[in-house]
Amino acid sequence: MADIGVTTTPKPRAAAALERAAAAAEPCWDLIELLFFAYRDFVGDPDEVLAKLGFGRAHHRVLHFVNRNPGMKVADLLDVLKITKQSLGRVLKQLMDEDYIVQREGANDRRQRLLSVTPAGEALAMQLAGLQTARIAGVLAELGPGAREAVRRFLAGMIDAQDRERVLRMIAHADRARVRRDGAS
């Protein structure tokens, strides 16, 4: 999947002018509420599967990113999720106790804790991603040609500018790694 080009952050004076204009304008109530409801339903399908296993959304996020980034360092996962070590520790312990994730020491630095999914973890991550992909695919089909790229640009634009390129690189890296793994099988 190609990286998307997102315009750079406006210059400080222009950014201040944009903020003043946005503050004076009526809030985008429709888009704000649509984002709330879209998120509710986007995670709702996986929530049902997770609840049967005694898991929640935090488990889903951890499973998703570890599945997409095998060998991911715990420190990197903390950075991606923006949660406390304690919160991650609790969720990881449950996922490891249930044999969805394994943790091992780094080859060069034994202090590193590297995470990977087990076959059961990959199967669950793929089941959850399948539910979300079906929802996305249905909407993209309704919207027609070019919709996927427009949605990608919009969502990338919603990420804080200072984090955007890192996130896009992480996604592209995971996509390339998946293609290599799937091609090697």
Side-chain angles (χ1 to χ4, degrees):
M1 185 175 312
D3 287 337
I4 48 179
V6 178
T7 58
T8 58
T9 305
K11 294 183 176 33
R13 190 185 315 166
L18 285 173
E19 285 179 20
R20 284 192 301 275
E26 177 73 12
C28 299
W29 294 120
D30 58 339
L31 297 180
I32 292 167
E33 291 173 9
L34 285 168
L35 281 170
F36 279 124
F37 288 114
Y39 176 75
R40 177 199 66 191
D41 294 345
F42 178 70
V43 297
D45 299 328
D47 282 351
E48 292 178 27
V49 173
L50 292 162
K52 292 175 186 169
L53 299 170
F55 295 155
R57 291 180 184 169
H59 298 87
H60 184 188
R61 288 188 296 271
V62 168
L63 197 58
H64 171 85
F65 285 106
V66 173
N67 182 58
R68 289 275 292 158
N69 302 280
M72 180 177 224
K73 291 184 262 182
V74 170
D76 292 339
L77 185 56
L78 282 167
D79 188 46
V80 165
L81 298 176
K82 305 283 188 219
I83 60 174
T84 66
K85 249 184 186 178
Q86 293 80 5
S87 295
L88 179 58
R90 178 186 54 78
V91 169
L92 270 179
K93 182 176 179 350
Q94 289 176 300
L95 289 167
M96 289 188 296
D97 287 350
E98 298 287 329
D99 197 35
Y100 289 101
I101 289 183
V102 293
Q103 177 178 283
R104 67 182 197 291
E105 294 176 345
N108 299 326
D109 183 349
R110 294 173 50 144
R111 295 171 297 178
Q112 284 182 334
R113 294 174 15 211
L114 306 177
L115 304 170
S116 297
V117 291
T118 63
E122 182 178 16
L124 179 57
M126 296 304 289
Q127 178 186 6
L128 301 174
L131 293 169
Q132 292 178 313
T133 297
R135 181 176 289 275
I136 291 168
V139 173
L140 291 177
E142 287 177 22
L143 296 175
R148 182 182 179 119
E149 188 57 31
V151 171
R152 277 182 56 85
R153 283 194 319 272
F154 172 78
L155 292 173
M158 292 293 291
I159 299 167
D160 286 343
Q162 68 271 16
D163 201 28
R164 188 175 303 137
E165 287 304 316
R166 183 184 67 83
V167 168
L168 293 173
R169 279 192 308 272
M170 182 181 80
I171 292 168
H173 174 77
D175 286 345
R176 287 189 304 272
R178 185 101 190 157
V179 167
R180 284 192 303 269
R181 281 193 312 273
D182 289 350
S185 326

